Amino acid sequence: QKEVEQDPGPLSVPEGAIVSLNCTYSNSAFQYFMWYRQYSRKGPELLMYTYSSGNKEDGRFTAQVDKSSKYISLFIRDSQPSDSATYLCAFGSGNTGKLIFGQGTTLQVKP
Amino acid sequence: DAGITQSPRHKVTETGTPVTLRCHQTENHRYMYWYRQDPGHGLRLIHYSYGVKDTDKGEVSDGYSVSRSKTEDFLLTLESATSSQTSVYFCAISEAPNEQFFGPGTRLTVL
């Protein structure tokens, strides 16, 4: 079993749709949960960062963590064509800074 | 890109030649990281630094070495490049572990 599983997609939705992106993990030691957005031929950009179970909201984005079930989700409301990118989940533990990334889900939002 | 530059941005080299990639930051962050990104493998940590002259190995460190003589610079060296090291290389920085910010990337091709 992989340490992190993320559906690679691609995922295609119409503008205005609610998007749900998901990752599951197997390592109980993970304490930090992140979502990055990566546009084509650019570096990943940190979108959301949390270290507790529950929801964290930032504008149109909501990050959800369920430690008991070992999955995290990113919800995008009122999706826009500018949201078209690859979304990467990432996990960390302790204070080493060693992150484990999912393979990324490619999202296309059609006007 | 959070005050991070990478040089060169593109490089083509031949098998067996040494290659050095440079990461420069203007944020005075303590931690610096080198990742490689490959289709089907996502982002994988090569080496990281938690202070000047303090470095440690990541998940895929074989064939790579690093040096950090100043807070702002982190060098990644491929002593003898191989075709398997063809990849996109990203530098990241953070003040605290886990919340990492990425540079624009270096696209390396080893022929």
Side-chain angles (χ1 to χ4, degrees):
Chain A
Q1 183 185 8
K2 283 186 175 180
E3 205 166 14
V4 174
E5 300 268 10
Q6 182 176 10
D7 185 346
L11 183 62
S12 182
V13 301
E15 183 175 354
I18 296 174
V19 176
S20 172
L21 304 168
N22 307 293
C23 286
T24 59
Y25 64 97
S26 59
N27 190 342
S28 299
F30 288 151
Q31 301 169 284
Y32 306 96
F33 309 92
M34 285 143 280
W35 285 97
Y36 284 84
R37 177 176 62 196
Q38 186 175 23
Y39 291 114
S40 180
R41 303 182 82 86
K42 300 287 187 181
E45 169 193 3
L46 181 63
L47 268 182
M48 302 288 281
Y49 171 83
T50 185
Y51 52 85
S52 58
S53 281
N55 293 350
K56 181 177 181 179
E57 191 173 316
D58 184 1
R60 297 184 295 110
F61 298 91
T62 299
Q64 182 178 79
V65 174
D66 185 335
K67 288 185 181 180
S68 61
S69 301
K70 294 191 179 64
Y71 81 82
I72 67 172
S73 298
L74 179 70
F75 298 96
I76 307 174
R77 291 184 300 280
D78 188 25
S79 57
Q80 302 296 309
S82 58
D83 295 327
S84 298
T86 297
Y87 291 80
L88 303 157
C89 57
F91 301 81
S93 59
N95 289 318
T96 65
K98 292 183 179 180
L99 296 184
I100 303 297
F101 283 82
Q103 291 193 32
T105 300
T106 299
L107 170 67
Q108 182 182 30
V109 180
K110 295 183 177 179
Chain B
D1 291 317
I4 310 170
T5 56
Q6 293 185 232
S7 57
R9 294 294 313 279
H10 300 87
K11 186 170 182 67
V12 179
T13 191
E14 294 188 349
T15 297
T17 59
V19 176
T20 295
L21 308 182
R22 179 181 184 236
C23 177
H24 178 78
Q25 60 149 328
T26 58
E27 305 294 327
N28 201 36
H29 282 352
R30 177 183 176 189
Y31 297 86
M32 298 186 76
Y33 312 83
W34 277 108
Y35 290 87
R36 60 179 289 174
Q37 187 172 37
D38 305 288
H41 291 281
L43 276 161
R44 293 179 292 173
L45 182 65
I46 304 171
H47 281 280
Y48 69 102
S49 168
Y50 45 95
V52 173
K53 298 188 177 174
D54 291 324
T55 65
D56 203 352
K57 295 179 180 180
E59 182 185 354
V60 289
S61 59
D62 287 348
Y64 302 94
S65 62
V66 290
S67 66
R68 190 171 178 200
S69 58
K70 298 184 290 185
T71 298
E72 58 266 34
D73 289 325
F74 194 30
L75 304 180
L76 177 71
T77 297
L78 291 64
E79 302 290 347
S80 178
T82 68
S83 58
S84 65
Q85 294 175 312
T86 292
S87 187
V88 181
Y89 291 86
F90 288 101
C91 174
I93 64 173
S94 66
E95 182 52 35
N98 300 306
E99 201 168 355
Q100 297 176 20
F101 301 92
F102 284 77
T106 293
R107 195 167 293 269
L108 176 67
T109 302
V110 183
L111 301 175

